[in-house]
Amino acid sequence: MIEAAALTVDMGAGQAVREASFVIAPGDRIGIVGESGCGKTMLGLALMGMVPDAGHVSGSLMIDGIQMVGAGEVTWQRLRARRVAMIFQEPMAALNPIKRVGETVMEPMMVHLGLGRDAARARALELFREVGIPDPEARLRQFPHEISGGQRQRVLIALALACDPGVLIADEPTTALDANVALRVTQLLVGLAARRTMGLVFISHDLAAVARATERVMVMYGGDIVERGATDEVLAQPRHPYTRGLLSARPSSGNMRATGGRRGRLPTIPGSVPPLAELAPGCRFAGRCPVELKVCNGARPPRQGNMICHRAEEGA
Amino acid sequence: MRKLPPNLLIGAVLVALVAGTAALSLVWTPHDHTLLNIRGKFAAPSELHWLGTDQLGRDVFSQLMVAARNSVAVALISVCLGGVIGVALGLVASAMGGVVEDVIMRIADIGFAFPALLLAIMLAAVFGPSLPVAIIAIAFINIPVFARVTRASANQIWTREYVYAARAAGMGRVSISRDHVLPNIAAPIIVQATIEFAIAILAEAALSYLGLGAQPPAPSWGRMLSEAQTLMYLAPQLAIYPGVCIVTAVLGFSLLGDGLRDITDPRLVRQR
Amino acid sequence: MTLLSVEEVTRRYRLPRQALWSPPPVLTAVDAASFTLEAGRTLGVVGESGSGKSTLARMVMGFERPDAGRILFDGQDLAALPPSALRRLRPRFQMVFQDPYGSLDPRRTVGWSIAEPLRAAGAEERGKVAEALDHVGLRPADAAKYPHEFSGGQRQRVAIARAIVTRPALLVADEAVSALDMSVQAQILNLLMDLQDELGLAILFISHDLAVVSSICDHVLVLEHGKTVEQGAVAQIMRSPGTEYTKSLLQAGGLL
């Protein structure tokens, strides 16, 4: 169980996460979407107590009733892997290339849970079966370069599950994978969350993947959670201009808009996410927003229901 | 600004000390290092002779300074010579690939396995012992070392997309090696050169100790050591001084090399 | 007019031996692929990783030679050309790579990189770099910057500027938008379409993502383990995929 209230990560140059508040209960599946540089990964790292040294975390973050803002590394170490675990985008980079994958998975169980070699091995085998790795006996003895990208990601999921975490944070877990493989890994994560009543935080820029993996979603822009709600509703009827922009910019033949006799083009969000130091002081999205008002660039937009926007009252 | 690793700083200070002394000896030494004074032999350190005199009454401090110049010069010339040839061979091997690469690297392997000392003895037997012989012997053993490091680093660069992009642009192997490969492998080569420098100083000392390098009256740390050996019980300080100099120089370059690797190797940076 | 014609092209790789005495196993990366690309049109090549699509791209670029079959660019067989003639032909066909972080030399200014194809061709540089930057929506002043000063999407724009600076007839885009955020993908895809309209480029668009391909391509070729399993108009294939494999690609892309 994770409860964040006004959780902020200040990187010195600017706030990578600004006053994020949310609750992740057992079995919840929550998506975080947004472009690169919007604070998704930083929020994930904050939940693991792994914000880089330059960052300062403030606000409140309760994990299983313990206040983790200001907690020391020792306290975090006791929580990591057992309460919250994380998997990353590049399954190759996250595995030690000179270690058999079985050893990699067994290690935390021997260290954290105090299991002996045989017990850890048996449990690793069980986990490999649970994450759908075929021929798990043989896989245990293989090296990372001997198995495919999808299988590697499954190994990392098994590794993350080794100490039965209450919440699994998956940072772009399917981005580096082929579409078919990504689909199966997503289905696996959803199944695991349900079977283990484990919380799942699914971070991705891919709206289709988030739609499949999660029941609730938070859209992040410039460190703000600009819109949130049930995944189906947000994706079917986006209200915040940024969410709308993201949805319509999905490359697909159905999204093409023809103008002036030319063949169709994709609608886009103009510009790109500015660096932290250059974020607009008021609404972070000011400057790229298609429906900007005068007030947007000066004052911080109010939180209205499920979104943070000056135009909320008009139903946008 | 990232904090510099301590080994880099200590190494840089030691190297600066040795190099500074060598440079200074070109324009100034307390005494003429060849000046004999039999009556004043084995003098204790004094205001006149800072580290005393040797068995022939020569000023030890002045000799150490000039020897530093010889050591640095031998190391510099031999490492540069070996480095230039080795890097060129490595670049060619990597750019050509296939049979050419195999041939160059097998020859490098043979050179790598060949002991420098044996080579120096052979050369000395043919041409007579001298500093140039020592330089050539040390340069020769450096060629395969640089060829290997260069080829390994260059092969990685050749698989980068920007090299494919340059090929797509129509660039030939020579221009790609010059424009993309060499600048991007400069860091590991410089690190290697620094470490090789330490080895070269040690090798020069060893060859001179055996009489295969610097010839009298040219002073050398290695030769000073071998001359002092027979006087070990009479005047142990004469062996200790050049020994300390060799250790300082070798340690300095080794630490500098390690330090440079620490700050240029992104893998090590990430682990810290 | 047919610009690129790929005829029954096959490429095999010898894998490392598994036992000392057995012959090394052979992987057929591309198996008798055939297609043609008209000037100014876009052909998509779709498949999962390991389907041979990148091998096909490298052969079209002349980086690798096919073991069988011919690749004709402007009627000339690439594999039969001597290296010097192939280099003279380079300005006419260029490539954009997947990784906008890897395809630019980190130690060179982007202006230097963009001018590289011009230098290779011995062509006049002045004004052309600025013009190419302008074409891709960057400022001429950006030429003096280094790759790390740009975002991923901007770097891909730089890579495209380099690819079009010699005014090629063919652009091979190998997973050119796969590493980008979706919102940036849309911008880059639009840019490619704009350039195609302005410069009359033909594009060979290689991707694992059928949704992306459907937005930019007229025709598509579906590869599975080196074999062509389907080929035709994009709209047609999306409406009624002919094989289970294509269907699964559509499904995975959220298109079905």
Side-chain angles (χ1 to χ4, degrees), chain C residues 66-143:
Chain C
D67 293 310
R70 295 195 306 167
I71 296 174
L72 302 177
F73 178 78
D74 250 355
Q76 304 181 71
D77 184 350
L78 290 184
L81 286 177
S84 59
L86 184 63
R87 261 208 259 168
R88 270 199 301 281
L89 205 57
R90 284 280 182 213
R92 306 256 299 127
F93 61 113
Q94 290 284 318
M95 186 162 181
V96 178
F97 298 84
Q98 170 171 8
D99 181 8
Y101 295 84
S103 62
L104 297 168
D105 189 332
R107 289 175 190 270
R108 302 287 180 182
T109 64
V110 303
W112 191 96
S113 291
I114 292 172
E116 195 168 40
L118 294 171
R119 280 195 306 277
E124 175 69 27
E125 283 181 32
R126 203 145 36 91
K128 290 195 180 156
V129 171
E131 199 185 330
L133 280 167
D134 187 53
H135 256 128
V136 299
L138 296 171
R139 286 168 298 139
D142 289 330

Side-chain angles (χ1 to χ4, degrees), chain B:
Chain B
M1 191 61 205
R2 202 167 54 222
K3 225 180 109 218
L4 293 173
N7 51 1
L8 181 74
L9 293 174
I10 297 169
V13 168
L14 294 181
V15 166
L17 190 70
V18 172
T21 309
L24 183 63
S25 77
L26 289 170
V27 293
W28 178 83
T29 52
H31 298 273
D32 179 351
H33 69 277
T34 57
L35 199 69
L36 304 183
N37 178 5
I38 299 297
R39 256 176 296 167
K41 66 180 181 182
F42 298 127
S46 64
E47 257 175 65
L48 189 63
H49 297 288
W50 295 348
L51 293 179
T53 59
D54 67 3
Q55 70 278 17
L56 299 174
R58 292 172 298 191
D59 182 54
V60 171
F61 192 76
S62 303
Q63 284 201 70
L64 288 175
M65 282 179 72
V66 178
R69 182 214 299 168
N70 284 343
S71 289
V72 171
V74 169
L76 194 66
I77 297 170
S78 56
V79 171
C80 285
L81 203 63
V84 168
I85 299 173
V87 168
L89 284 174
L91 282 178
V92 170
S94 178
M96 302 296 292
V99 182
V100 178
E101 180 173 16
D102 284 348
V103 169
I104 291 179
M105 294 326 290
R106 288 304 82 75
I107 292 174
D109 285 346
I110 295 168
F112 199 69
F114 203 85
L117 194 59
L118 197 60
L119 180 73
I121 291 171
M122 277 164 54
L123 287 175
V126 179
F127 300 105
S130 67
L131 266 187
V133 163
I135 289 174
I136 290 171
I138 299 169
F140 187 82
I141 55 160
N142 269 305
I143 294 174
V145 176
F146 280 99
R148 282 181 159 188
V149 170
T150 304
R151 188 198 62 134
S153 312
N155 278 357
Q156 280 179 17
I157 303 294
W158 276 96
T159 63
R160 296 280 160 83
E161 282 194 344
Y162 58 78
V163 168
Y164 273 101
R167 287 171 67 191
M171 284 291 180
R173 288 175 184 147
V174 177
S175 9
I176 292 176
S177 291
R178 183 194 61 219
D179 293 343
H180 296 289
V181 180
L182 194 54
N184 280 295
I185 62 171
I189 290 175
I190 290 170
V191 168
Q192 191 65 41
T194 317
I195 292 166
E196 288 307 307
F197 217 90
I199 295 172
I201 283 181
L202 202 57
E204 187 273 335
L207 291 177
S208 295
Y209 176 87
L210 295 170
L212 297 171
Q215 297 303 307
S220 145
W221 291 335
R223 215 166 47 72
M224 288 171 76
L225 203 58
S226 79
E227 284 174 6
Q229 198 178 18
T230 52
L231 309 164
M232 204 52 205
Y233 295 101
L234 197 59
Q237 76 276 12
L238 292 183
I240 291 170
Y241 294 142
V244 168
C245 289
I246 294 170
V247 169
T248 307
V250 172
L251 192 66
F253 279 105
S254 299
L255 287 176
L256 185 66
D258 282 352
L260 285 175
R261 176 159 48 205
D262 287 354
I263 60 169
T264 55
D265 191 334
R267 272 172 305 170
L268 293 176
V269 171
R270 239 179 284 137
Q271 279 169 8
R272 256 187 284 138

Side-chain angles (χ1 to χ4, degrees), chain C residues 31-81:
Chain C
D31 193 355
S34 296
F35 60 84
T36 57
L37 178 57
E38 306 290 311
R41 307 304 293 271
T42 308
L43 174 72
V45 177
V46 195
E48 301 197 287
S49 57
S51 62
K53 55 193 195 305
S54 285
T55 305
L56 195 57
R58 284 201 296 272
M59 286 193 290
V60 169
M61 287 307 293
F63 294 151
E64 287 182 27
R65 283 164 186 242
D67 293 310
R70 295 195 306 167
I71 296 174
L72 302 177
F73 178 78
D74 250 355
Q76 304 181 71
D77 184 350
L78 290 184
L81 286 177

